[in-house]
Amino acid sequence: MVKTSVSQIKMPLTGNDAGAYAMKQVNPDVVAAYPITPQTELMQTFAQYVHDGDVDTALITVESEHSAMSACIGAAAAGARTMTATSANGFALMWEVLYIAASLRLPITMAVVNRALSGPINIHCDHSDSMGARDAGWIQMYAENSQEAYDLWLIGIKAAENHDVLLPAMIMYDGFIISHTMEVVETLPDDAVKDYVGPYKPAYAMLLDEKPFTVGPLDFHDYYFEHKRQEIEGMEHAPAALAAAATEYEKLSGRHYGPVETYRADDADVIMVALGSTAGTARYVVDVLRDQGKSVGLMKLRNFRPFPHAEVADALGKTKCVVVCDRVASFGAFGSPTFMELRSALYEVPERPPVINYIYGLGGRDTGPDLLEQAFEEGLRVARTGKIEQHVSYLGVR
Amino acid sequence: MTTLKELSRREERFTGGHRLCSGCGAAIVARQVLLAADGPVVIGNATGCLEVGTTIYPYTSWKVPWIHNAFENVAATMSGVETAYRVFKDRGKLDKDFHFVAFGGDGGTYDIGLQALSGMLERGHKMLYVCYDNQAYMNTGIQRSSATPKGASTTTAPHGKLIPGKIHRRKDLTAIVAAHHIPYVAQAAPHAFMDLMRKVEKALAADGPSFINILAPCHRGWRHGPEETLEVSRIATNTCFWPLYEVVDDKWKLNYKPRKKLPVEEWMKFQGRFAHLFDGDGHPELVAEIQADVDREWEDLLIRCGELPPRECREEEAKK
Amino acid sequence: MEKKKGWKDIPLGGLITEAGNADEYETGSWRTFKPVLDQEACNNCLICWIFCPDTSVLVEDEKIVGFDYVHCKGCGICAAECPKKAIEMVLDEEK
């Protein structure tokens, strides 16, 4: 247990409250946002802070999510620290501009309150929204609970603004399950947050820099590739920046945030991989099954971009079966996004374990311990026999 | 109002060496706007001719801070820049004063950019939005927009054996913007450069959002000579197809009344994109429809500007 | 032919840091005709200057001194609009 350098305050906060509180303590220059369930309360809480004068952030209540991200880009390019939040179709609507924010190397940070993409229209939790933009050039981190929603947003800001990275970051937390559920969250004091994120030092600022410059020119085929290669390089530096930001955060909070988090996995025959709140359910099921003498464990995947292939290989390389649970489907792909990326990470491991995939929880389908137990049991069967019957299965669909 | 001679002493912040067509109306508009905007200015530019032609990496024609984001969002992008400016001022981070000007073509303003423009106007950001209206999606090859005049031939509404070009009546965007009740709205044209530049000055001095819709002839899409760019602009105004007016705090004011109102076909005959309306049998009924539209809109404008009593009053008078 | 820079040598994020460097790009090669000024006929009304799309009419001390032939595309607007007919478009022999 690391000794923490500041005394924290325990607060009862929903995921949305926690996000809004993090924003309040950061007190960014500009926030531009548009309402969508289940993000709405996050922005409403923040708007109240603005209107009460608890922050002096300028809040632009834009007329769409596309404009939200566009306004964030304008503000950030001007030299402002900028934050926003959205979900599902709002997120999808800003898809075009997400790519532009990353290519302009603007460290905008955003909470994505995970909700299923239409259609049909559904307001409940799954990961189809954030997973859909995994190639946009954003840092992506999945929070398990309100505590992580708060902590990871702060870490995300620090890593994004690192001058070796300069890429935007999105922090995910499950819609309704986390966004609307009250939990006890340990928060840092205001000045600790202020010192941690520090004053914003943009790499460029249209309004503050001495000499004028052009942002967003046209590239022909003779320069686009070079600009993209630069962007790739920024993402290559992200693991180190995230690790440094997390180490500094641990000194303040006592909480350790690596790209993956294992639980009773060292000697486990079967390791389940999960993102978001389901990791919490899985942890509970691990204990239940362990009490029955079953050799199971969990690897929570926290950072999805950049994908921590080395840590994944390290955590899963020696097990007998990996059960990847993903709250998203990728139509036409061989398995879900996490399944595919994880198998790629394990490909060169000398005795790579068999990996099976469970797609679960789409559209907010409740996925309780009994369902995860089924998945573990199948994993144990595979571990025993070494034979995969079906690579991809669906948990909880009628 | 600054004279041309005084303006000629100002720094040219829009350089030559851009790749816009020889004789491009948009280039003239951009130059005139930038000359009239005295002091530091940040430019936002929607995707389109002006943006593409002036910032082909690694070259830029702009000697001012300039940002391009995407096609439909210059108003939203500049809302962000302007808001950052206010925050920096409030937080004591910035001493310098800036003007904010967004440029969008008719495509990026009347159509895909309308939502972002409307949002920017409603939220009251202190910035000027200039629409350079060349009446089609010129940069991608002369496709029709909602600013394309009825009867014009474009590549997505070409004159063909069955359909004679664009059949829809163009949108009155200037009136739509005026309906947002912003401090300053105007319509201008580059041939009337003193009027245009005076309007830019007034717009930038307004305490809130401002908008100027500026005709930007495109000889490629309109099919006239490159040297005729200003002449075709002049005739557009003299036929009352493109009137020059302002709306200042919701009060409509006409800036120019042609001594002799020319029939709109004088403007159309100048341009190849309308040639099919006159060649051979032509489309006289369509030409008549177009003239009727222009007459009606001109009359409505005169009424709004207080130059003519309302129609009902004149009808009453006529009955007596 | 100038060798193009690699990804490590260009500014971050696609920025163009030399404002107005399009000045270095020669568009004069586009033209067929070039404007020639009759200085005596010119009354320095500056109309050609305000109408030039390419910032290629040169003014010094509120007087027209000539044209920027490095950039002038020969559109002919200046000649067409000059109220004194002081500009003539002549075939550019060099092109």
Side-chain angles (χ1 to χ4, degrees):
Chain A
M1 170 67 181
V2 177
K3 198 166 138 67
T4 69
S5 61
V6 298
S7 52
Q8 296 177 79
I9 307 131
K10 286 200 172 130
M11 300 169 75
L13 300 172
T14 62
N16 278 340
D17 291 335
Y21 194 69
M23 290 175 73
K24 175 178 185 263
Q25 292 184 304
V26 170
N27 194 15
D29 294 305
V30 177
V31 167
Y34 189 82
I36 183 168
T37 308
Q39 161 265 52
T40 357
E41 283 80 3
L42 165 64
M43 276 305 153
Q44 286 171 180
T45 307
F46 187 73
Q48 194 65 55
Y49 290 141
V50 172
H51 283 244
D52 285 343
D54 292 337
V55 291
D56 55 6
T57 309
L59 172 63
I60 317 175
T61 44
V62 283
E63 76 299 333
S64 87
E65 288 90 347
H66 189 286
S67 288
M69 188 49 63
S70 302
C72 283
I73 286 173
R81 178 179 270 151
T82 323
M83 298 168 89
T84 184
T86 189
S87 303
N89 283 60
F91 182 79
L93 186 60
M94 49 161 87
W95 194 82
E96 167 194 40
V97 226
L98 292 175
Y99 278 73
I100 296 172
S103 70
L104 291 179
R105 311 301 297 275
L106 296 168
I108 298 164
T109 58
M110 167 163 72
V112 179
V113 189
N114 282 126
R115 163 184 147 177
L117 285 173
S118 301
I121 183 168
N122 169 295
I123 60 168
H124 296 282
C125 174
D126 77 27
H127 295 166
S128 51
D129 50 5
S130 51
M131 282 291 178
R134 59 195 187 273
D135 292 335
W138 283 58
I139 290 169
Q140 292 191 316
M141 294 194 278
Y142 286 81
E144 182 189 324
N145 47 37
S146 298
Q147 181 71 66
E148 291 199 358
Y150 173 81
D151 293 335
L152 293 180
W153 205 339
L154 299 175
I155 291 171
I157 290 170
K158 202 145 172 87
E161 292 178 3
N162 182 310
H163 276 225
D164 290 333
V165 177
L166 292 172
L167 288 171
M170 59 178 83
I171 314 305
M172 274 59 79
Y173 54 92
D174 287 347
F176 287 112
I177 303 168
I178 298 302
S179 64
H180 286 61
T181 305
M182 190 148 297
E183 296 182 275
V184 173
V185 177
E186 284 201 293
T187 59
L188 301 177
D190 287 350
D191 48 318
V193 172
K194 236 202 186 76
D195 290 340
Y196 174 74
V197 298
Y200 180 46
K201 294 195 177 78
Y204 64 88
M206 289 199 300
L207 291 175
L208 304 172
D209 290 347
E210 188 60 44
K211 290 163 71 181
F213 48 86
T214 285
V215 180
L218 172 83
D219 269 358
F220 280 138
H221 37 73
D222 57 349
Y223 279 105
Y224 181 87
F225 206 163
E226 281 69 24
H227 286 133
K228 281 324 203 186
R229 178 65 189 87
Q230 278 184 346
E231 203 183 318
I232 290 167
E233 192 70 4
M235 191 57 99
E236 296 285 300
H237 292 296
L242 283 162
T247 302
E248 204 185 316
Y249 197 79
E250 190 177 347
K251 292 196 189 101
L252 294 171
S253 64
R255 292 181 289 281
H256 174 75
Y257 286 116
V260 307
E261 190 180 281
T262 54
Y263 180 70
R264 305 182 82 168
D266 286 346
D267 63 340
D269 285 348
V270 176
I271 301 178
M272 177 172 282
V273 174
L275 292 82
S277 65
T278 303
T281 317
R283 199 178 294 112
Y284 166 80
V285 176
V286 164
D287 284 344
V288 166
L289 296 179
R290 279 278 185 180
D291 283 349
Q292 295 169 17
K294 290 167 179 165
S295 175
V296 297
L298 165 73
M299 185 199 85
K300 176 169 80 176
L301 183 61
R302 179 175 287 120
N303 295 4
F304 194 85
R305 282 289 180 268
F307 193 80
H309 54 89
E311 288 84 349
V312 164
D314 203 51
L316 304 176
K318 295 193 193 68
T319 192
K320 299 206 176 96
C321 177
V322 178
V323 178
V324 178
C325 293
D326 230 348
R327 205 162 194 155
V328 55
S330 180
F331 302 91
F334 182 51
S336 66
T338 307
F339 176 78
M340 293 190 282
E341 303 230 6
L342 197 130
R343 284 217 323 166
S344 172
L346 290 172
Y347 190 70
E348 276 155 16
V349 167
E351 278 163 49
R352 59 178 184 261
V355 185
I356 58 173
N357 189 199
Y358 280 92
I359 291 170
Y360 74 95
L362 301 189
R365 176 60 47 88
D366 196 26
T367 308
D370 44 322
L371 285 176
L372 294 188
E373 235 185 272
Q374 279 177 41
F376 269 118
E377 290 297 345
E378 178 56 20
L380 286 163
R381 192 200 61 75
V382 171
R384 254 190 337 267
T385 63
K387 280 206 173 68
I388 296 177
E389 248 157 53
Q390 195 167 293
H391 283 92
V392 186
S393 311
Y394 304 90
L395 207 54
V397 71
R398 294 184 303 279
Chain B
M1 168 69 202
T2 330
T3 62
L4 265 192
K5 291 201 191 288
E6 285 163 10
L7 283 171
S8 76
R9 290 190 175 278
R10 287 190 184 167
E11 190 201 352
E12 289 271 9
R13 298 182 291 179
F14 183 73
T15 68
H18 59 68
R19 318 296 167 87
L20 293 162
C21 296
S22 158
C24 171
I28 302 171
V29 167
R31 240 193 99 220
Q32 289 182 2
V33 170
L34 209 44
L35 277 167
D38 199 17
V41 56
V42 179
I43 303 281
N45 215 158
T47 310
C49 276
L50 186 62
E51 167 262 326
V52 164
T54 59
T55 57
I56 296 174
Y57 195 88
Y59 298 107
T60 177
S61 276
W62 304 90
K63 287 174 111 165
V64 292
W66 181 99
I67 181 166
H68 158 251
N69 184 344
F71 193 9
E72 66 281 69
N73 63 3
V74 68
T77 306
M78 288 303 280
S79 294
V81 178
E82 186 264 358
T83 302
Y85 173 73
R86 279 190 291 109
V87 169
F88 292 158
K89 285 284 187 184
D90 289 344
R91 288 180 170 185
K93 276 185 186 173
L94 181 64
D95 279 328
K96 210 163 152 188
D97 290 335
F98 281 93
H99 292 307
F100 299 96
V101 179
F103 280 108
D106 52 290
T109 308
Y110 284 62
D111 294 342
I112 202 172
L114 187 59
Q115 178 208 290
L117 171 62
S118 181
M120 173 280 248
L121 298 172
E122 184 268 331
R123 290 189 303 269
H125 295 276
K126 189 180 179 323
M127 50 181 275
L128 164 61
Y129 191 109
V130 171
C131 175
Y132 64 95
D133 187 353
N134 53 25
Q135 304 191 330
Y137 289 91
M138 292 307 186
N139 192 234
T140 43
I142 319 167
Q143 292 86 21
R144 66 87 96 199
S145 77
S146 64
T148 305
K150 188 192 282 185
S153 183
T154 55
T155 54
T156 46
H159 81 265
K161 296 186 206 101
L162 187 62
I163 308 171
K166 184 178 187 250
I167 54 172
H168 302 111
R169 190 172 168 186
R170 73 191 294 273
K171 207 184 268 192
D172 185 353
L173 181 70
T174 316
I176 292 171
V177 172
H180 286 72
H181 305 302
I182 59 170
Y184 189 80
V185 183
Q187 207 158 269
H191 71 274
F193 50 86
M194 291 310 283
D195 176 72
L196 188 157
M197 293 191 290
R198 176 186 63 84
K199 283 168 171 165
V200 171
E201 285 187 354
K202 268 180 105 160
L204 292 174
D207 187 20
S210 53
F211 175 88
I212 310 177
N213 204 354
I214 309 183
L215 192 66
C218 164
H219 66 80
R220 282 294 292 121
W222 297 18
R223 306 277 191 245
H224 57 81
E227 75 283 4
E228 294 172 321
T229 298
L230 283 322
E231 184 60 12
V232 79
S233 170
R234 199 168 281 124
I235 301 174
T237 298
N238 285 330
T239 54
C240 303
F241 175 88
W242 189 266
L244 306 179
Y245 64 92
E246 2 176 36
V247 186
V248 184
D249 292 322
D250 288 332
K251 195 159 153 50
W252 291 63
K253 180 171 179 245
L254 191 68
N255 301 124
Y256 174 79
K257 207 186 229 177
R259 251 170 296 131
K260 186 168 168 258
K261 178 172 174 285
L262 301 173
V264 73
E265 70 177 64
E266 293 224 3
W267 181 62
M268 295 196 288
K269 280 181 171 161
F270 209 90
Q271 308 161 63
R273 62 178 170 156
F274 293 111
H276 59 287
L277 298 180
F278 305 103
D279 289 343
D281 288 337
H283 292 272
E285 74 300 333
L286 192 51
V287 175
E289 222 180 277
I290 294 166
Q291 184 66 66
D293 288 345
V294 169
D295 290 344
R296 181 62 185 236
E297 286 181 40
W298 174 242
E299 193 185 12
D300 284 344
L301 181 63
L302 290 175
I303 294 168
R304 276 179 132 148
C305 295
E307 303 268 337
L308 257 190
R311 208 164 276 116
E312 309 77 57
C313 296
R314 280 180 283 121
E315 278 159 12
E316 281 291 310
E317 274 299 307
K319 280 189 198 143
K320 286 182 188 158
Chain C
M1 185 66 162
E2 198 195 297
K3 191 167 184 280
K4 294 190 173 155
K5 291 186 177 159
W7 66 270
K8 292 182 191 172
D9 302 318
I10 51 179
L12 208 63
L15 262 50
I16 302 176
T17 50
E18 290 160 64
N21 67 348
D23 209 44
E24 296 163 26
Y25 191 90
E26 197 227 315
T27 50
S29 56
W30 295 19
R31 64 174 177 265
T32 307
F33 291 89
K34 72 175 186 192
V36 174
L37 179 67
D38 177 353
Q39 203 90 55
E40 287 192 10
C42 172
N43 68 349
N44 296 303
C45 69
L46 302 183
I47 282 173
C48 56
W49 169 78
I50 198 63
F51 281 154
C52 177
D54 295 279
T55 321
S56 290
V57 174
L58 303 173
V59 174
E60 259 167 52
D61 234 346
E62 298 172 9
K63 291 188 178 56
I64 307 289
V65 297
F67 303 99
D68 172 4
Y69 291 117
V70 172
H71 295 118
C72 169
K73 294 169 183 155
C75 68
I77 284 175
C78 52
E81 292 292 322
C82 175
K84 291 291 178 190
K85 299 277 163 267
I87 300 171
E88 200 192 336
M89 297 303 291
V90 302
L91 191 66
D92 195 338
E93 300 290 347
E94 285 164 49
K95 302 284 159 198

